Amino acid sequence: MTEKIREEAAVDSQEILRKFDKESDYRVLKGFAAKIVSAIAITFSLFQLYTAIFGVLDAMIQRSIHVAFGFCLIFLLYPAKSDWPRDRIHPVDFILSILGAAVPLYITVFYKQLVLRAGTVTTVDYIVGAIGVLLVLEAARRVVGLPIVTIASLFIIYALIGPYIPGQLAHRGADLPTLVQHLFYTTEGIFGIPIGVSSTFIFLFILFGAYLEKTGLGQLFIDLANAIAGWASGGPAKVAVLSSGLMGTVSGSSVANVVGTGSFTIPMMKRLGYKPEFAGAVEATASTGGQLMPPIMGAAAFLMAEFTKIPYSRIIGAAAIPALLYYFGVWTGVHLEAKRLGLRGLSKEELPKFKEIVLERGHLIIPLVAIVYLLVTGFTPMKAALYAIFLSIISAMLRKNTRISLTDIINGLEQGARSALGVIAATACAGIIIGVVTLTGLGLKLGTSLVDLANGKLFLTLFFTMITSLILGMGVPTTANYVITSTIAAPALLMLNVPVLAAHMFAFYFGIIADVTPPVALAAFAGAGIAKANPLKTGLNASKLAIAAFLVPYIFVYNPALLLINVQPLEIIWIIITSIIGIVGVSSAVSGYLITNQSIVERLIFFIGGILLVTPGLKTDIIGAALLVIGYLVQRSKLSKTAKSH
């Protein structure tokens, strides 16, 4: 990448992150306060590494210490109000930081007494637990944002007023002490599965990501993508798709991914002729897809394994084909737009040399390849992440130009802990939602309501579940997104005998796509911020590019073979082929172009043909293929007439 492009790509990414990603809106401390925060963060990472190497502690102890570290740092780093100073700690936040550490540690210190009391709550237990619940809500508000806090608060209210609710959602209710005991002192609430996964697998993967960032893997992905696709029609847009897909394998945030790669790719797209709204949309759609891409899937893969009791290796295998179809859809949309506008790629002089990149920095990919291999061959996620962390440091030392210093290694420990704070706040808050669901049976009630609303019809239930997941996913980070959608939306599908994995994947997909679907499309808005484009138009363009994500979940529910469930080799090959052709048809209809511009009638033909091809069934495949052939012949005829007239 030339210096000129680098200069054009220079944007205030931190400001955009602060605006659209609450997790990035933290204090920048100096002096003694900065040293204190660094010491706590490094100690936090060392604690996590220690338990990964020598064995995890009892569940409640491990989780409470994990939350204590997290909340202590959250209240030190994230101000309560936007107008509070960013260069020093407010006294109120200092007090809350001490409380944030002390309240979860109450479980650690009095663990034996709490176990012996077997659910009996003393006055002190009740007060500490109530403060703990409030601290969870406040920590989530600061780091994650209001959407998840609003949902959790509504669930708490629902638990308390159950007897007064009319109709199917009514329940016997819970008094405040019972609710506090359930949420704070059991593994059904705040210290449930989400925090359990955060305190073991997820933290280590975040730490792994921090070290990959230190070694320069992100820039390597961008340079590799440039070398592979930068020369093609609409090259910079294809670079965005490739680099964001690669970054998505380790990234846990759509918005952070947009800003990380978009700061380079979006200015390049604009320079070569893409409209700002489309340039921002390409990056947003590609970055959001990273949350659907194995092996990490924004850390949701680990939660899915725990919730569904399906082996992790099975989950990432099932997620691979749908994720690749998603990216194929984005790539197709980008390619057709480039052809429609006649956009060229970058010149050879502007592009890095693939061979040089691989020889100079190719070894940085070793940890990523290793972690995939370890996960697939049966290592636990914790051990795989642990080995990958050490391997990322070792591999960086193989060449002088990528070597990292002892300071970088220590800074990696700090950065890993700081990057985990959003996940800790989100999973703790999501634990409140799960706690209310298990206490009141709300999941079953909501599922029954959705099925009743759809009159027992699978397609209508899928549609209502899609809308529910899109709404619940608005402004919520990936881990909490999955917890909420799988708890509230997925049960409806399970009632209609949809396979567990397909039901969870369906809800997860639409929860994630909320990041590019207006009105609250955080990834699209971040892309618009970099592109200096209209946010709503960027979101609409992103939704068009993400059309595959709206189709693929329906495919794998109606034909679970796409998720490798009870599949024969020839069957999966046929499904992939028809899905690819169908996605091309739908993408061309959305963009209004295949080999020349399409009329309304042609777009309708391509859209219906594409939908029929992605719908499982021999009859639909034949009719869909026939429609696409007709549409293609009409396009060829129009192109021939245009050529003759010139």
Side-chain angles (χ1 to χ4, degrees), residues 456-524:
K457 304 294 183 185
L458 179 57
F459 180 78
L460 283 177
T461 305
L462 289 171
F463 179 76
F464 293 141
T465 304
M466 175 185 77
I467 300 300
T468 304
S469 298
L470 283 169
I471 293 169
L472 292 171
M474 289 179 181
V476 180
T478 305
T479 44
N481 194 321
Y482 169 68
V483 171
I484 295 168
T485 54
S486 64
T487 304
I488 298 172
L493 303 182
L494 296 174
M495 289 178 186
L496 296 179
N497 297 318
V498 172
V500 173
L501 185 53
H504 279 250
M505 281 283 191
F506 185 92
F508 176 58
Y509 255 68
F510 286 111
I512 293 301
I513 291 305
D515 273 355
V516 294
T517 309
V520 184
L522 293 184

Side-chain angles (χ1 to χ4, degrees), residues 401-552:
N401 62 323
T402 59
R403 204 162 289 162
I404 58 175
S405 64
L406 179 61
T407 303
D408 288 327
I409 294 171
I410 295 170
N411 287 343
L413 292 172
E414 180 183 353
Q415 187 55 49
R418 291 174 69 131
S419 299
L421 299 181
V423 173
I424 294 168
T427 49
C429 197
I432 292 176
I433 296 166
I434 292 177
V436 172
V437 169
T438 57
L439 188 64
T440 63
L442 179 60
L444 186 62
K445 295 174 191 292
L446 285 172
T448 304
S449 298
L450 279 176
V451 173
D452 288 347
L453 185 63
N455 201 26
K457 304 294 183 185
L458 179 57
F459 180 78
L460 283 177
T461 305
L462 289 171
F463 179 76
F464 293 141
T465 304
M466 175 185 77
I467 300 300
T468 304
S469 298
L470 283 169
I471 293 169
L472 292 171
M474 289 179 181
V476 180
T478 305
T479 44
N481 194 321
Y482 169 68
V483 171
I484 295 168
T485 54
S486 64
T487 304
I488 298 172
L493 303 182
L494 296 174
M495 289 178 186
L496 296 179
N497 297 318
V498 172
V500 173
L501 185 53
H504 279 250
M505 281 283 191
F506 185 92
F508 176 58
Y509 255 68
F510 286 111
I512 293 301
I513 291 305
D515 273 355
V516 294
T517 309
V520 184
L522 293 184
F525 292 171
I530 297 172
K532 296 178 171 54
N534 180 291
L536 187 58
K537 287 182 179 177
T538 305
L540 291 172
N541 274 296
S543 298
K544 290 179 184 178
L545 283 171
I547 189 67
F550 290 92
L551 299 177
V552 169

Side-chain angles (χ1 to χ4, degrees), residues 589 598-610 627:
Q598 297 175 0
S599 65
I600 295 295
V601 174
E602 288 170 70
R603 293 177 80 162
L604 199 59
I605 289 171
F606 277 107
F607 186 79
I608 294 171
L627 285 172

Side-chain angles (χ1 to χ4, degrees), residues 130-183:
I131 293 170
V133 172
L134 293 174
L135 286 171
V136 168
L137 293 172
E138 175 59 11
R141 183 189 71 82
R142 294 188 186 200
V143 189
V144 184
L146 277 175
I148 190 173
V149 177
T150 303
I151 295 170
S153 301
L154 289 173
F155 270 68
I156 290 172
I157 294 168
Y158 171 78
L160 296 172
I161 64 169
Y164 308 103
I165 298 173
Q168 203 169 1
L169 295 180
H171 62 93
R172 66 181 182 180
D175 57 26
L176 206 52
T178 301
L179 182 60
V180 167
Q181 190 273 335
H182 186 75
L183 293 181

Side-chain angles (χ1 to χ4, degrees), residues 30 94 270 371 478 631:
K30 295 179 181 178
F94 184 74
K270 287 174 66 179
I371 199 167
T478 305

Side-chain angles (χ1 to χ4, degrees), residues 14 18 26-30 34 77 85-88 418:
Q14 190 58 43
R18 285 181 185 277
Y26 50 78
R27 288 185 172 106
V28 180
L29 300 170
K30 295 179 181 178
L77 285 170
R86 299 305 173 95
D87 58 348
R88 61 187 185 277
R418 291 174 69 131

